[in-house]
Amino acid sequence: MTNLRRVMSTFATGVTVLTVGGENPHGMTANAFCSVSLDPPLVLCCVARTARLHKAVSVEGRFAVSVLSAEQETTACHFADRSRPHGWAQFAAVGWVPGSRTGAPLITGALAWLECEVTEEVVAGDHSVFVGRVLEAASGSGEAALLFHRGAFHGLPEGEAAGVPDGRVRTV
């Protein structure tokens, strides 16, 4: 499947940190995250069934999502590092606050945060797709997004999202 990995690396994605609080606190960098529905408000994330986060989400039934800003590449690398500490100790390296609805860590300085309750877990190959009902959503003050493309992190400055240097939105 190296060809599939190479092909999928051409698809630029945003970068998030998924977190769980409670008895099984854990965080993980993920780019397999998206909106599913506005009514009801649903999102999904895909987590390898062998990942520590998988068990934590399954047990707690809740998770949070921090959408990382371009300045948070170090945070993304920290939560992708399998040698980081376990439990609450892994969050000592970053600023965070507990989510008001889930207690899951919300990463300080992120572009946005969501707190979710799992409504469905679907096994899909070596991963599970967790569908979460959004309990709370908030936006931060950051402007530039952290992207992952071709195996590397990239910042997307404000105004370039629509491909227009002056920040105007282009319609088709």
Side-chain angles (χ1 to χ4, degrees):
M1 284 295 128
T2 57
N3 188 46
L4 178 59
R5 182 179 295 272
R6 185 174 51 255
V7 168
M8 293 309 298
S9 77
T10 66
F11 182 66
T13 63
V15 182
T16 68
V17 172
L18 306 176
T19 58
V20 174
E23 297 293 315
N24 301 292
H26 193 64
M28 180 186 90
T29 300
N31 60 358
F33 167 79
C34 69
S35 172
V36 174
S37 169
L38 295 177
D39 187 20
L42 300 172
V43 296
L44 69 75
C45 61
C46 301
V47 180
R49 291 198 320 264
T50 57
R52 285 185 275 164
L53 186 79
H54 187 280
K55 180 178 180 184
V57 172
S58 293
V59 169
E60 291 296 322
R62 295 168 183 245
F63 63 93
V65 181
S66 296
V67 179
L68 299 186
S69 72
E71 294 79 32
Q72 293 179 302
E73 182 176 340
T74 301
T75 300
C77 291
H78 172 74
F79 285 103
D81 182 354
R82 293 178 189 225
S83 68
R84 73 186 177 283
H86 289 231
W88 288 110
Q90 69 191 287
F91 295 100
V94 299
W96 65 277
V97 297
S100 64
R101 302 292 301 269
T102 63
L106 304 175
I107 307 300
T108 305
L111 294 178
W113 305 270
L114 299 103
E115 293 185 81
C116 306
E117 179 176 59
V118 175
T119 61
E120 194 172 351
E121 178 181 342
V122 179
V123 174
D126 59 358
H127 281 60
S128 285
V129 177
F130 290 103
V131 177
R133 182 174 60 87
V134 177
L135 303 172
E136 190 74 36
S139 296
S141 61
E143 300 293 336
L146 183 62
L147 300 181
F148 194 71
H149 180 252
R150 294 208 185 265
F153 292 108
H154 306 275
L156 180 64
E158 178 187 17
E160 291 188 24
V164 182
D166 65 4
R168 290 175 295 153
V169 176
R170 181 182 354 198
T171 57
V172 179

